[in-house]
C-alpha cells in the first residue's frame, strides 16, 4: 500500500522564491542526457582549472 502525499513539497531558493518545478525537471533531464564520461571530464577540467588558478594566484601574490 502506497500513500500519496497530500501536499507537494515546495523547494525554496536562498532568496525565498519558490523554484519553478518545470524548469528544475528540464534542467535535471538535460544534464542526465549527457554521457558519464563527458560529466567526469568536465568535472576534472574544472578541478584542474581551479587548482592551476589557485597556484597562479599564490605564485604572483608572493612575488612582490
Amino acid at each position: 500500500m502506497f500513500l500519496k502525499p497530500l501536499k507537494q513539497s515546495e523547494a525554496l531558493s536562498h532568496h525565498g522564491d519558490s523554484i519553478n518545478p518545470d524548469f528544475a525537471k528540464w534542467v535535471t533531464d538535460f544534464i542526465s542526457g549527457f554521457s558519464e564520461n563527458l560529466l567526469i571530464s568536465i568535472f576534472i577540467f574544472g578541478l584542474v582549472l581551479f587548482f592551476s588558478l589557485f597556484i597562479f594566484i599564490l605564485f604572483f601574490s608572493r612575488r612582490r
Side-chain angles (χ1 to χ4, degrees):
M1 178 174 163
F2 296 102
L3 299 176
K4 283 182 91 173
L6 296 177
K7 183 181 176 193
Q8 204 173 26
S9 64
E10 190 174 293
L12 295 176
S13 66
H14 62 279
H15 296 291
D17 301 330
S18 61
I19 298 171
N20 184 354
D22 294 331
F23 179 68
K25 181 168 176 16
W26 179 83
V27 169
T28 305
D29 291 340
F30 180 71
I31 291 175
S32 66
F34 293 146
S35 70
E36 188 174 331
N37 290 337
L38 177 66
L39 293 174
I40 290 172
S41 62
I42 290 172
F43 178 74
I44 290 173
F45 177 74
L47 277 178
V48 168
L49 183 66
F50 174 77
F51 284 121
S52 62
L53 289 175
F54 181 71
I55 291 171
F56 180 77
I57 290 170
L58 284 179
F59 177 73
F60 281 108
S61 67
R62 290 181 51 92
R63 202 163 185 199
R64 298 194 264 167

